[in-house]
Amino acid sequence: MDVGQQVEDLESLIKSEGLEGLIGETHRLILSSLEKGNKTATEVLREIEGKHYITSYWQVVRALLQLKRIRCVREVGRRRTETTTAGIEPIYAITANGRHLLKTLEKRRSRSRS
Amino acid sequence: MEYYGWAGTILRVDLTKGKIRRQPLPKDLALNFIGGRGFNSKILYDEVDPNVDAFSPENKLIFGTGPCTGTLVPCSGRWTVTAKSPSTEAFGDANAGGHWGAEMKWAGYDCIVFEGAAKEPVYLWIDDDHVELRDASHLWGLDTWETTDAIRKEHGDLEIKVACIGPAGENLIIPACVISDYTRGAGKCGMGAVMGSKRLKAIAIRGTKGVRVAHPEEFVDAVEEGIEILRTGDQWWFENFSKYGTPIFVMMFQTLGCLPTYNWREGVFEGAKELSGETLLDKYVKKKRACHACVFHCSGYYVVEEGPYAGAMGEGIEYEATGGFGSKLGNADLASTCAAKTLCDKMGIDLINCTDTVGWAMECYEKGILTSKETDGLDMSWGNAEAILEAIRRMAYREGRFGELLAMGSYKASKVVGKGAERYSITIKGQQMGLVDPRVMWAWGLGFGTSTRGGDHLRTQPAGEYMFTPEEMEKYIGTAKASDRYGWEGKGMLVAWYQNIRAVHDSLEMCKYFFRGEPRLYVEFPPKVLTALTGFKWTYDHILRCGERIYNVEKAFNVKVGLGRKDDYLPERFYKEPYTKGPYKGAVMPKENYDKALDEYYRARGWDLKTSNPTRARLEELGLKYIADELEKMGRLGKE
Ligand code: SF4
């Protein structure tokens, strides 16, 4: 899949999932955290808590599931956790789509800062 | 007029004269107040003098269903009961799920308004168009389960749906609630006590008419689309809530540091795991049940099979039971929380008021404000499960000096006890709070403070504060800042929006859990489904405006009673007493920040910042000119 194809896929995926205008800084922070290694939502939160108003585990869970719906992250395993009632959490990895989205979001961010 | 969605009839029952009459549903009411809570609030405001005693025959007791009640709309089995409240001495209502609401709708009624008071105990029997008041002297004194069984036996029909009071309501205790379907409590604001004051033991219904739908195909499409958005857009919630139900909140709120513990002193509990949804499911939940048309089936049917609480059983064991009788009372014995829930259901006692009142008594006991003399020898030490159960029983029957005290609810009891006991009554406007600690959940705090029925989480239930992403917050609320759960900015806007949309959910008579973490459901679902169901064209803006109108009507009732900004604050504990342990050790909600959030909230509502009174401009915008005129006459109209 070339880069142009990925962009097209992402845009239509975002639209078909009803996520237009809803993918932003939260998702950039999560993707850059996953770029450094596979993580659970708890581990991602530990790294990004306090940035961009992110102050709860469930904000991260929700954003991760949105990223999963547009195939920017995928589940690569499960880990026991103290955090949730379920006692088990998925481990997420960034995908090729995710890396592309990360670049796009980073560009957007540096544009808005300059 | 022929209606779709609504039944089209308000039933009026004069208990003093024993007369029953029917009134057609006014179209204006339907289109501007939606149903259920909205109808009830408008009727209460228009027909009840806010200054009457809650137990006087002049108070009215109003039961309402919504346009969605009894249809295929997910989680649409709810109903609301409204009256002037004996706990807040102001606006009061309570809401429950189950199947009774659907039955009332199928019998053909949007509202039942009880006026006056019967001389002797009665119950109302509704068999579609046949409505009669029946003698209930043989039912008086029975608990809610016995009452339901006896009425069903009397009519030879196990499918009859019954809403009733137990000994608690008969004895006019403030924490009394109305119970339907054995275990579904309309808990808030002492509605069971108002029902008891009218000597109305039960409302038993057989309804067979169904609900007319204007555009059946579009309606089914809208319902299916809503379920799909929930299933895919809020996958985590859909899967986990279906599995665990509200007991999932024990560990969720422990993680967030807001699990009320030791009468709200701390936000984490050492025994949380023993109380968790997972433990409950493993040990006691035998199967899952659901309210009418629910897609979650969150309701655990539980049985305790062994140990000191063997035999405790029931349905709908919730976080307010496992957390309320658990962490809030320093009690890690999950089986005892099941037993306490069963006892409350049978007695007809609201779980929140009960657990808070017992928690207040325990803290007063610890501090030596209440001694074994005042508790009639009961050892009210933290975590004493036996004492918790005995306290509930004495509360229901007003047994002894301690029972009389507990029967007042913590707010009024604390005033009687004095000696600093008021400090440990964790109430707002006299009403006990749902189980979320505001020290680390600021929108929840502001929602508690500004609720029109006193310290209540459900008026606002701003789940988006910890579930919406900042991007969703920006798009739907107008500021990402509201996502910071320790920041005050944006909280006024968020809470005002939530209160308006929750008034809509309560008026549709849908369960709030359907909407919880998915903003698209809040915005897209109600207009689509209402348009297909009722045949009128509904937009999101119009619907949200209806919610705001309902909120303003309730607020105006409270303004007439004399409530204002001073009453919109939290108990001092949350501003002054930091947590002493846990991940959020040291956390408080600084009062100056609460004040700023309150200003922002009143601004969002178009109310006077100093008094909190609604302004003429906003009331007129909402089509409530007559309320503006009335408040002006009383000198209680807000300044622009
Ligand atoms: S989610 Fe639970 S409380 Fe709500 S309607 Fe469904 S079963 Fe009832």
Side-chain angles (χ1 to χ4, degrees):
Chain A
M1 199 189 273
D2 69 22
V3 172
Q5 181 64 47
Q6 282 177 345
V7 174
E8 196 183 327
D9 279 347
L10 269 179
E11 279 177 357
S12 55
L13 267 175
I14 287 171
K15 198 171 171 196
S16 69
E17 287 297 324
L19 292 170
E20 280 168 304
L22 294 176
I23 302 295
E25 182 61 7
T26 307
H27 307 80
R28 188 193 69 78
L29 287 165
I30 291 173
L31 290 170
S32 41
S33 166
L34 292 180
E35 182 79 311
K36 290 178 243 159
N38 302 345
K39 293 185 185 80
T40 63
T42 303
E43 289 158 351
V44 171
L45 177 70
R46 222 171 274 146
E47 205 175 305
I48 68 173
E49 187 165 14
K51 292 179 187 157
H52 186 55
Y53 318 113
I54 296 165
T55 46
S56 124
Y57 170 77
W58 284 273
Q59 290 166 336
V60 176
V61 168
R62 188 161 168 75
L64 272 166
L65 287 171
Q66 290 172 343
L67 287 167
K68 190 176 158 197
R69 279 158 61 199
I70 54 172
R71 298 196 275 279
C72 285
V73 299
R74 66 191 169 90
E75 264 187 62
V76 289
R78 303 216 142 201
R79 193 172 291 157
R80 284 212 72 79
T81 177
E82 292 293 302
T83 312
T84 66
T85 302
I88 203 144
E89 269 190 298
I91 302 166
Y92 289 98
I94 190 166
T95 62
N97 264 8
R99 286 202 181 86
H100 190 86
L101 178 63
L102 178 58
K103 271 194 201 133
T104 311
L105 291 169
E106 274 169 351
K107 261 191 223 151
R108 196 196 292 169
R109 184 166 175 255
S110 55
R111 264 205 309 273
S112 70
R113 286 181 149 194
S114 60
Chain B
M1 156 161 200
E2 288 266 290
Y3 282 108
Y4 296 94
W6 300 282
T9 301
I10 295 173
L11 193 65
R12 296 213 172 238
V13 182
D14 185 332
L15 291 164
T16 308
K17 295 183 185 144
K19 292 236 163 76
I20 294 161
R21 66 190 168 90
R22 288 170 177 77
Q23 173 197 346
L25 175 69
K27 189 174 161 195
D28 265 10
L29 186 66
L31 296 186
N32 292 311
F33 290 85
I34 301 176
R37 171 178 158 192
F39 288 179
N40 292 9
S41 298
K42 175 78 160 65
I43 293 170
L44 187 81
Y45 181 91
D46 287 350
E47 300 183 15
V48 174
D49 175 353
N51 295 308
V52 298
D53 187 289
F55 291 149
S56 85
E58 281 74 46
N59 196 6
K60 295 191 182 184
L61 186 69
I62 309 155
F63 291 80
T65 60
C68 296
T69 312
T71 68
L72 282 182
V73 170
C75 311
S76 63
R78 299 197 77 85
W79 52 277
T80 295
V81 53
T82 306
K84 182 176 177 186
S85 160
S87 58
T88 63
E89 307 284 359
F91 178 89
D93 75 17
N95 176 293
H99 299 266
W100 185 85
E103 201 80 8
M104 172 173 154
K105 185 74 172 295
W106 295 337
Y109 307 101
D110 299 300
C111 285
I112 308 173
V113 184
F114 290 96
E115 308 170 347
K119 280 197 189 70
E120 301 298 333
V122 292
Y123 79 93
L124 188 73
W125 165 233
I126 300 176
D127 188 1
D128 286 341
D129 294 336
H130 174 86
V131 182
E132 72 172 296
L133 280 168
R134 288 193 164 205
D135 172 42
S137 47
H138 59 300
L139 304 174
W140 208 250
L142 300 186
D143 72 32
T144 62
W145 293 15
E146 292 164 341
T147 303
T148 304
D149 288 344
I151 292 176
R152 286 177 163 185
K153 200 169 164 207
E154 204 166 301
H155 294 276
D157 184 349
L158 288 178
E159 293 300 315
I160 286 169
K161 303 294 183 289
V162 177
C164 63
I165 55 170
E170 293 174 10
N171 293 324
L172 310 188
I173 77 162
I174 300 295
C177 67
V178 183
I179 295 277
S180 74
D181 306 286
Y182 294 99
T183 58
R184 294 275 162 189
K188 291 269 184 321
C189 298
M191 293 296 106
V194 176
M195 193 157 158
S197 75
K198 297 191 175 302
R199 282 174 285 281
L200 176 65
K201 179 69 179 173
I203 306 163
I205 308 181
R206 179 162 54 212
T208 64
K209 293 185 190 173
V211 180
R212 283 154 40 94
V213 175
H215 305 295
E217 276 178 31
E218 286 90 332
F219 177 69
V220 170
D221 286 350
V223 166
E224 283 179 349
E225 191 186 306
I227 294 171
E228 190 56 17
I229 293 175
L230 170 70
R231 210 179 54 73
T232 54
D234 205 357
Q235 195 190 343
W236 185 91
W237 178 249
F238 185 69
E239 286 170 8
N240 286 284
F241 189 66
S242 292
K243 191 166 175 190
Y244 299 106
T246 59
I248 198 174
F249 295 139
V250 172
M251 288 310 288
M252 272 180 93
F253 290 167
Q254 170 93 345
T255 304
L256 291 164
C258 62
L259 176 69
T261 299
Y262 298 110
N263 195 33
W264 303 85
R265 272 207 308 241
E266 302 292 346
V268 290
F269 182 50
E270 53 278 11
K273 268 199 163 172
E274 283 101 286
L275 300 170
S276 73
E278 193 176 44
T279 312
L280 185 75
L281 195 63
D282 272 358
K283 285 191 167 172
Y284 305 119
V285 171
K286 302 296 169 199
K287 60 173 99 165
K288 301 306 290 291
R289 286 189 173 162
C291 302
H292 168 81
C294 179
V295 287
F296 288 111
H297 46 81
C298 85
S299 187
Y301 173 75
Y302 61 94
V303 181
V304 179
E305 283 167 328
E306 50 192 36
Y309 306 106
M313 59 182 284
E315 193 195 317
I317 178 112
E318 300 236 24
Y319 166 61
E320 291 294 345
T322 57
F325 289 117
S327 60
K328 191 153 75 176
L329 307 184
N331 172 27
D333 182 344
L334 185 58
S336 74
T337 70
C338 294
K341 146 84 175 152
T342 304
L343 184 58
C344 279
D345 286 348
K346 287 185 174 180
M347 294 294 110
I349 297 179
D350 170 40
L351 295 173
I352 294 177
N353 196 326
C354 178
T355 56
D356 252 38
T357 298
V358 175
W360 164 81
M362 284 181 154
E363 193 161 7
C364 287
Y365 191 76
E366 180 193 58
K367 304 282 184 232
I369 296 170
L370 291 179
T371 65
S372 61
K373 194 171 151 217
E374 283 92 7
T375 65
D376 298 326
L378 210 54
D379 172 10
M380 293 302 291
S381 301
W382 294 116
N384 185 348
E386 278 305 319
I388 293 168
L389 284 156
E390 180 57 17
I392 297 169
R393 203 188 58 75
R394 292 189 196 177
M395 177 192 287
Y397 289 104
R398 291 182 173 272
E399 194 177 291
R401 186 174 162 167
F402 192 44
E404 280 290 350
L405 195 64
L406 296 171
M408 294 177 206
S410 55
Y411 176 73
K412 290 187 175 173
S414 73
K415 303 238 172 278
V416 170
V417 170
K419 298 185 282 187
E422 295 94 331
R423 189 174 153 199
Y424 307 112
S425 157
I426 307 303
T427 50
I428 300 165
K429 304 182 183 81
Q431 180 67 39
Q432 289 71 16
M433 295 165 56
L435 217 48
V436 183
D437 193 309
R439 289 175 183 100
V440 290
M441 299 280 264
W442 289 12
W444 288 73
L446 185 64
F448 279 124
T450 56
S451 152
T452 47
R453 59 174 181 177
D456 164 44
H457 61 305
L458 293 170
R459 265 316 190 243
T460 315
Q461 208 185 44
E465 184 181 35
Y466 67 87
M467 289 186 103
F468 292 174
T469 64
E471 286 72 17
E472 288 171 329
M473 203 64 102
E474 177 83 47
K475 177 170 173 177
Y476 292 102
I477 309 300
T479 170
K481 289 178 181 166
S483 284
D484 175 359
R485 62 191 175 102
Y486 327 109
W488 66 267
E489 278 181 276
K491 292 299 155 73
M493 286 159 69
L494 178 68
V495 167
W497 178 80
Y498 253 110
Q499 289 172 345
N500 294 341
I501 202 76
R502 292 306 193 193
V504 171
H505 301 160
D506 284 339
S507 302
L508 295 170
E509 291 299 344
M510 284 184 68
C511 180
K512 295 183 177 85
Y513 293 124
F514 178 70
F515 300 91
R516 196 167 182 88
E518 175 51 64
R520 281 181 65 200
L521 283 175
Y522 291 80
V523 173
E524 293 172 24
F525 184 72
K528 261 193 199 157
V529 89
L530 265 185
T531 300
L533 173 61
T534 66
F536 293 102
K537 175 84 190 129
W538 295 79
T539 63
Y540 169 66
D541 287 345
H542 175 75
I543 287 174
L544 198 62
R545 195 38 73 100
C546 289
E548 187 177 2
R549 183 176 300 115
I550 293 161
Y551 214 81
N552 273 268
V553 166
E554 294 165 357
K555 171 72 177 174
F557 188 93
N558 287 342
V559 168
K560 282 183 165 181
V561 171
L563 298 180
R565 179 168 181 138
K566 65 181 187 324
D567 304 292
D568 284 353
Y569 285 85
L570 304 176
E572 288 292 300
R573 166 157 282 175
F574 300 119
Y575 305 124
K576 290 189 177 155
E577 293 179 41
Y579 294 145
T580 64
K581 56 185 179 185
Y584 300 97
K585 185 175 169 185
V588 284
M589 178 190 269
K591 202 168 189 175
E592 62 275 18
N593 286 347
Y594 186 85
D595 258 321
K596 286 182 204 160
L598 205 50
D599 283 350
E600 191 197 270
Y601 169 81
Y602 293 144
R603 252 183 235 113
R605 284 230 165 271
W607 294 349
D608 185 331
L609 260 57
K610 202 168 150 207
T611 60
S612 86
N613 293 346
T615 56
R616 175 172 289 282
R618 185 57 61 101
L619 288 170
E620 287 194 359
E621 241 179 76
L622 295 168
L624 301 172
K625 180 179 177 301
Y626 77 106
I627 293 184
D629 293 342
E630 286 173 6
L631 295 184
E632 187 165 42
K633 248 189 232 157
M634 297 175 80
R636 292 192 184 155
L637 193 59
K639 295 208 169 57
E640 309 279 338

